[in-house]
């Protein structure tokens, strides 16, 4: 299976900061990457698909980049509502879905 | 809007089976695979498998082979995931999910004697 290595595992930043989370795939997966936000007690919510496409209704302060094996999720101007755990996911065709270990984002 | 709505929480004894439903609305049910993912308390996300509602084709994660079954009812746009021979380690929230789309709200399955 394709492994997704996500870092950091936790992140503490101030309101207004720029925050970046990274995922590295164990093999090339083109742009078959999604990013999810999961708030406590809730289902994961899709933020980004195909590495850089913003899901409808998601604030534009969220953006995704990357292709091949390196992918990033960036939050520009961190807001209190962004406190959550973020997961990357690969969905390369004909491969099992796999997820990163998650990044817990907190406000300083 | 596109929505997946799951059945309610379940409590089961070890060795029993559980069947979780996932009703789709707001899109053509036949056009998108339904995936199932589970999450134990405080843990990450674990993919269990997918089913194509149109063909019925399925693909299960290796670790669940032999005790998982995914089915569907195309007249009600509902997908089902049944897990048998339950053990305490199967206690988790189970989600259905569409590729590049929404997830269901989750179904808590608790396994305890």
């Amino acid at each position: 299976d394709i492994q997704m290595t996500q870092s950091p595992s936790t992140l503490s930043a101030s309101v207004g900061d720029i925050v970046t989370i990274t995922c590295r795939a164990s093999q090339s997966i083109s742009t078959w990457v999604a990013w999810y936000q999961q708030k406590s007690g809730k289902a994961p919510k899709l933020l980004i698909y195909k590495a850089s496409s913003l899901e409808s209704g998601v604030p534009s302060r969220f953006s995704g980049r990357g292709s091949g094996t390196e992918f990033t999720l960036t939050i520009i101007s961190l807001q209190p509502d962004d406190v959550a755990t973020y997961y990357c996911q690969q969905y390369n065709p004909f491969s099992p879905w796999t997820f990163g270990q998650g990044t817990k984002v907190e406000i300083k | 809007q596109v929505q997946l709505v799951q059945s309610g929480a379940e409590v089961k004894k070890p060795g029993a089976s559980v069947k979780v439903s996932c009703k789709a609305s707001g899109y053509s049910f036949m056009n998108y695979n339904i995936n199932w993912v589970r999450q134990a308390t405080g843990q990450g996300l674990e993919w269990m498998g997918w089913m194509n509602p149109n063909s019925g084709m399925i693909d299960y994660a290796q670790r669940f082979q032999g005790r998982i079954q995914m089915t569907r009812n195309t007249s009600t746009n509902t997908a089902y995931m049944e897990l048998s021979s339950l053990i305490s380690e199967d206690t988790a929230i189970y989600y259905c999910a569409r590729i590049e789309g929404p997830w269901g709200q989750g179904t808590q399955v608790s396994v305890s004697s």
Side-chain angles (χ1 to χ4, degrees), chain A residues 12-46:
Chain A
S12 184
S14 300
V15 172
D17 280 356
I18 298 174
V19 163
T20 298
I21 301 168
T22 299
C23 259
R24 180 176 290 113
S26 59
Q27 66 186 71
S28 179
I29 52 173
S30 184
T31 56
W32 298 110
V33 165
W35 290 93
Y36 292 89
Q37 176 192 66
Q38 187 177 34
K39 295 186 177 181
S40 182
K42 300 292 188 183
K45 173 189 172 185
L46 179 66

Side-chain angles (χ1 to χ4, degrees), chain A residues 36 38 43 50 87 91 96-97, chain B residues 35 39 47 95 100 103-104:
Chain A
Y36 292 89
Q38 187 177 34
K50 284 200 180 70
Y87 293 94
Y91 54 105
W97 284 7
Chain B
N35 287 259
Q39 185 174 38
W47 177 79
Y95 295 102
E100 294 179 355
W103 290 36

Side-chain angles (χ1 to χ4, degrees), chain A residues 8-86:
Chain A
S9 55
T10 60
L11 189 160
S12 184
S14 300
V15 172
D17 280 356
I18 298 174
V19 163
T20 298
I21 301 168
T22 299
C23 259
R24 180 176 290 113
S26 59
Q27 66 186 71
S28 179
I29 52 173
S30 184
T31 56
W32 298 110
V33 165
W35 290 93
Y36 292 89
Q37 176 192 66
Q38 187 177 34
K39 295 186 177 181
S40 182
K42 300 292 188 183
K45 173 189 172 185
L46 179 66
L47 300 175
I48 302 285
Y49 61 96
K50 284 200 180 70
S52 60
S53 295
L54 190 69
E55 171 69 350
S56 176
V58 173
S60 58
R61 65 179 180 275
F62 293 91
S63 64
R65 294 188 65 179
S67 66
T69 61
E70 296 277 337
F71 303 89
T72 58
L73 172 72
T74 299
I75 310 172
I76 296 174
S77 187
L78 186 70
Q79 300 299 305
D81 188 51
D82 300 335
V83 169
T85 299
Y86 293 82

